Amino acid sequence: MTNQPPQLFNAIDSLLAAVDDGTVLPAPAERVRLREAAGLTSAAVAQALGVRVPSITAWEAGRAEPRGERLEAYRRLLEGLGHRYPALATPPGREDTGRPASSGPSEPTEPQAHTSSVLTAPTAEEAFSVPPAVPEDEPAEFVQAPAVRSAPQPPDLASGPTVSSRRPVKRRAGAPVATDPRFPHGPLAVLDDDGSAYGVDSIVLDCPATTIVELVEWTLRESGLGAAKLNRYGKDSDPLIVLTTAAAVKFGLPERLEDRRGLRLEEGHPVLKQVSKAKWQLTQRGFGPWARIYRKAQGRERQCVQLAILPWDALDARAWPGVTDMEPADVARVLGMYAQRVITPRGSTAVSGLELMTALRPPTRPVQDKETGNWVSGYNPGSLGTEPMDPAPPEGQPEHPAVFHSGWKGGFLHEEAYQWVRSVDLLTDEECRLPFAVGLDLNTAFLAAAARLTVGLSEPVHFVNQAFNPKIPGSWLVDLSHVEVNPRLPSPFTPDGTRPTGPAWYQTHTVAYAQELGFNVAPLEAYLRRETGAYLDPWHDRLKTAYVDTLADLGVTKDLSDVEFLAAMERHKQADPAMAAVLAAIKATVKGGIGKLFENPQGKNYREGDPWPAMQRPTWRPDIRAAVISKARVNMHRKLNNMAKMTGLFPLAVLSDCVVYPSPGDSPLDFLPYAASGKPQPGGFRLGPTPGLAKLEGVQSMLWAVDLMEQGYNPARHIKGGDAVLDEGE
């Protein structure tokens, strides 16, 4: 045996001494195993050692080592965990890959559809859809995802202990859970300037990107972000990256957009040059608060990332109250819950509401060509298709090219939400002596109206002297001026509640209600659609579930008594500000989505008769919006009418889904109709947490309400000290 150099022995002695005195730690993988075996989060370990979470992540990845007192404390922790959770030997019959060595029974899998042994064409699931402005192909599997660490959890938001997502764990109640293996880290992440990307379910990813281009490529290749499609014929949601103010500055973006009208980064900005140089593209909206960066799809691999820039007001405070000021982990929790229950945000809540309609009713599906046997893209029954549809002349507006160039002078539909105030001359002495004015608000009234709503799916067809049919959606020219209602109630046919003075265009539900009240209707003309369907049904069902479940998370459940319901609603926003923000966003999604169906031209340079972007999409459907609002207004009048019959009470004012009544007490319980058994009387307003039921909007003095009415103001708008609705019923 040859003599070894003395320095080698000295090095070995030093290494052994380091092991003896504890300065050599277990391998990085073992550090992770020990922490996870104990159910400890990275945040908990970081807090105990007095360091930040990224330090724990670096130690567990082997990129850095603790020093001094922290080295000793960390070694002691790992040593103690090692005694409690010793490593297990590799199970016999398993190879290094972790797969069974034998060819025995495999793990249970999802049942597979039967396929022929000879494939001459792609399956229906593989067939393509007609692409819009950005690539539609589904994304391929991502490469291995980056290290995951648990986010610090504020005490008031945590409902139970959480652990790292490296192994199957019991998640926090109500936390979004990634169920698609292609997207293990959920739909989105909120990126801070230190490279921490906060995701759903309290995970935090390490993002090494220093430029926007690097961020896009990291998101697509390594992040594991995205969400599965909501319909078998739809497309997966692209990953969303939300940038905090500090992160935006880090990537070279300004804290504030100079272009306040167009809300986009100015031409020639270095970030735009960087994106263009790397062969990435932006949609027509440019680089604004909600920027989409994409490349043409390669095969079935989608290449598209959505960015949301918080300092550029990506999250409107009216729809997302308080969210912009939250910590990144809490922003991720709010947006993640919204993505799980509604859809990954694609822009404003109005945009997301419209996108949800298409995601649940995709315009195309794979169909097999009878001649070639190939799978091609075809119309998906029940959807709005891929092409925009011109409205019937009375369903559009004067600016629309089809209306403008036709010279139409026959009038237009005016199906809008109520804005009505009773004349003070019609107030009785008994009403004026009541001490309180109490406002009731119908939960998501437009959503309730969308339930089982039949709308037109094909082109409008013109009819003359067509007999009215309440089952056919469309627009009817009919004279309803002969219909009499109590003057202390608004007319059900006009938004301002005034009685019609002659023939006018109405949506089917409005005319049907005149029949319901016992009056004859004789349409002069009609524009009707032969193909019909309940297009909004899946949209309604998903949003209703989201609304009810989120209210339940805030302590407002269906099993509460009316007294308990009022008490729970009074404190629900304080129970969890994050979930309260989710609830506000869901409500804004409903109103905004319906409003987007009839988006007007914008911009000071617009000229009548020119097309505008909104009208060139299939979801520009003013007739569907009119149907929803007509049904909602009729539903409101029916309740007002029934209340008058059951209680003798008449409203002071109505604003969209809010109604104000004079009351002997400061609670709805003082005037709502109840049977002798204590149950609410059917037909009137009822308290409860589901769409269409009512909640307390606000209480003021009767003197206050009368004073506003005398000045021509609507008490329903101000009953809670501010606007009663977000945007006039849209």
Side-chain angles (χ1 to χ4, degrees):
M1 181 175 178
T2 58
N3 294 329
Q4 297 292 334
Q7 58 267 31
L8 288 180
F9 289 104
N10 293 336
I12 295 299
D13 290 340
S14 298
L15 185 60
L16 291 173
V19 172
D20 291 338
D21 65 16
T23 56
V24 173
L25 299 173
E30 178 66 3
R31 304 173 198 178
V32 175
R33 186 194 72 80
L34 290 171
R35 177 179 59 76
E36 293 182 344
L40 295 174
T41 65
S42 298
V45 175
Q47 184 176 8
L49 296 175
V51 297
R52 299 176 68 239
V53 173
S55 297
I56 302 299
T57 304
W59 298 349
E60 291 183 348
R63 299 196 303 267
E65 298 290 335
R67 298 179 181 178
E69 295 181 354
R70 289 193 175 89
L71 170 62
E72 174 62 24
Y74 191 43
R75 182 200 62 77
R76 183 173 181 178
L77 170 65
L78 296 176
E79 187 178 81
L81 295 178
H83 289 305
R84 297 186 186 186
Y85 306 99
L88 299 177
T90 303
R94 291 190 177 269
E95 301 174 346
D96 291 342
T97 61
R99 296 185 177 182
S102 66
S103 57
S106 61
E107 293 294 323
T109 59
E110 292 290 327
Q112 300 296 315
H114 175 74
T115 56
S116 171
S117 58
V118 179
L119 298 179
T120 59
T123 66
E125 288 298 322
E126 294 172 338
F128 61 87
S129 298
V130 176
V134 295
E136 290 294 319
D137 302 276
E138 297 176 7
E141 290 188 4
F142 291 107
V143 298
Q144 184 172 351
V148 181
R149 46 196 168 89
S150 298
Q153 192 69 323
D156 61 325
L157 296 180
S159 57
T162 59
V163 298
S164 169
S165 62
R166 291 180 184 270
R167 60 186 177 91
V169 295
K170 183 177 181 181
R171 309 274 181 163
R172 283 185 298 108
V177 180
T179 57
D180 193 308
R182 296 171 300 156
F183 312 118
H185 300 145
L188 56 88
V190 181
L191 185 61
D192 214 350
D193 64 330
D194 63 355
S196 299
Y198 297 83
V200 301
D201 206 15
S202 303
I203 67 169
V204 182
L205 309 177
D206 284 319
C207 176
T210 58
T211 68
I212 290 293
V213 169
E214 290 177 358
L215 174 61
V216 170
E217 294 174 349
W218 172 85
T219 302
L220 293 174
R221 296 174 184 174
E222 302 180 44
S223 71
L225 296 173
K229 53 194 174 187
L230 299 179
N231 181 287
R232 62 181 298 193
Y233 301 130
K235 61 175 182 175
D236 297 323
S237 290
D238 297 315
L240 168 63
I241 299 294
V242 182
L243 299 182
T244 64
T245 300
V249 172
K250 171 186 174 181
F251 287 113
L253 299 172
E255 286 193 34
R256 176 181 169 84
L257 281 177
E258 295 298 328
D259 180 7
R260 302 309 300 169
R261 177 180 291 273
L263 289 178
R264 61 180 61 190
L265 209 56
E266 65 273 13
E267 292 291 336
H269 191 280
V271 169
L272 297 182
K273 294 180 179 178
Q274 170 198 126
V275 170
S276 177
K277 184 177 180 180
K279 307 301 182 183
W280 289 98
Q281 300 179 57
L282 294 165
T283 60
Q284 292 181 353
R285 288 186 295 178
F287 203 118
W290 292 89
R292 292 184 66 76
I293 303 178
Y294 71 98
R295 279 180 184 156
K296 185 177 180 180
Q298 297 178 349
R300 293 176 59 81
E301 182 180 0
R302 242 182 114 72
Q303 299 187 93
C304 188
V305 175
Q306 177 82 61
L307 299 181
I309 319 297
L310 291 184
W312 296 358
D313 301 323
L315 300 180
D316 189 313
R318 296 172 299 173
W320 303 93
V323 176
T324 301
D325 298 326
M326 292 180 179
E327 293 297 319
D330 296 332
V331 176
R333 181 187 172 210
V334 171
L335 296 180
M337 184 61 71
Y338 180 89
Q340 179 200 18
R341 292 183 173 174
V342 182
I343 192 173
T344 304
R346 290 279 300 273
S348 67
T349 48
V351 170
S352 296
L354 205 64
E355 291 287 340
L356 181 63
M357 294 180 195
T358 303
L360 294 169
R361 293 276 198 191
T364 62
R365 69 170 182 172
V367 295
Q368 195 167 26
D369 188 296
K370 294 182 180 180
E371 295 183 359
T372 65
N374 294 330
W375 289 98
V376 297
S377 179
Y379 172 69
N380 184 23
S383 76
L384 300 183
T386 60
E387 298 298 324
M389 183 182 298
D390 284 341
E395 294 169 350
Q397 67 243 72
E399 302 94 335
H400 193 282
V403 178
F404 181 82
H405 296 296
S406 71
W408 173 260
K409 303 295 182 182
F412 297 93
L413 275 176
H414 192 48
E415 298 285 12
E416 300 293 341
Y418 268 133
Q419 296 190 54
W420 172 81
V421 180
R422 199 204 312 178
S423 169
V424 291
D425 296 334
L426 296 176
L427 292 175
T428 66
D429 292 341
E430 291 77 8
E431 287 175 324
C432 291
R433 284 195 291 266
L434 291 174
F436 295 102
V438 177
L440 290 177
D441 180 71
L442 295 183
N443 301 321
T444 55
F446 287 175
L447 186 61
R452 315 299 172 251
L453 176 68
T454 301
V455 300
L457 300 177
S458 58
E459 298 278 351
V461 180
H462 185 226
F463 294 88
V464 177
N465 296 324
Q466 174 71 26
F468 177 68
N469 187 333
K471 295 183 179 180
I472 302 178
S475 303
W476 308 79
L477 180 63
V478 59
D479 189 350
L480 298 178
S481 60
H482 62 289
V483 179
E484 294 185 10
V485 296
N486 192 302
R488 289 184 287 175
L489 291 176
S491 167
F493 312 126
T494 59
D496 62 3
T498 58
R499 185 170 175 172
T501 58
W505 290 97
Y506 302 99
Q507 201 275 336
T508 296
H509 284 88
T510 304
V511 183
Y513 187 57
Q515 272 195 339
E516 180 183 323
L517 293 175
F519 294 91
N520 179 54
V521 294
L524 304 174
E525 293 182 61
Y527 283 90
L528 310 177
R529 288 170 166 80
R530 300 184 187 279
E531 295 179 24
T532 65
Y535 171 72
L536 292 174
D537 263 10
W539 186 81
H540 162 270
D541 294 347
R542 185 167 178 85
L543 285 169
K544 177 183 177 181
T545 300
Y547 180 80
V548 172
D549 288 352
T550 306
L551 263 181
D553 289 340
L554 292 166
V556 186
T557 56
K558 297 179 182 179
D559 58 347
L560 299 177
S561 68
D562 284 359
V563 174
E564 292 169 334
F565 168 74
L566 290 173
M569 286 300 296
E570 188 173 352
R571 61 176 181 267
H572 79 282
K573 291 183 180 179
Q574 289 72 43
D576 186 339
M579 292 306 297
V582 176
L583 183 68
I586 292 171
K587 293 191 290 185
T589 300
V590 172
K591 290 186 175 180
I594 296 300
K596 276 282 185 180
L597 291 169
F598 192 18
E599 190 173 0
N600 292 314
Q602 300 176 11
K604 62 180 181 179
N605 296 324
Y606 176 76
R607 295 183 303 175
E608 282 191 344
D610 288 347
W612 62 94
M615 58 154 284
Q616 295 175 305
R617 50 175 165 77
T619 49
W620 190 85
R621 289 295 300 273
D623 57 304
I624 297 180
R625 175 184 177 273
V628 173
I629 296 179
S630 168
K631 186 178 175 183
R633 198 182 64 244
V634 164
N635 287 346
M636 171 65 82
H637 192 276
R638 187 180 290 112
K639 294 179 186 297
L640 297 173
N641 203 26
N642 289 337
M643 281 285 291
K645 293 177 181 178
M646 289 187 289
T647 67
L649 288 177
F650 292 88
L652 301 176
V654 184
L655 180 68
S656 187
D657 47 12
C658 178
V659 56
V660 177
Y661 274 100
S663 173
D666 61 356
S667 169
L669 302 176
D670 294 315
F671 65 89
L672 289 180
Y674 290 86
S677 63
K679 293 184 178 180
Q681 291 278 22
F685 294 101
R686 295 178 54 189
L687 299 176
T690 56
L693 298 187
K695 60 180 179 292
L696 177 64
E697 179 75 352
V699 181
Q700 300 287 346
S701 71
M702 184 64 179
L703 183 62
W704 170 90
V706 173
D707 183 54
L708 283 183
M709 294 166 69
E710 288 178 337
Q711 298 180 61
Y713 297 119
N714 192 323
R717 180 180 296 280
H718 307 284
I719 192 71
K720 66 175 181 180
D723 286 353
V725 291
L726 181 63
D727 48 3
E728 301 294 353
E730 291 186 9

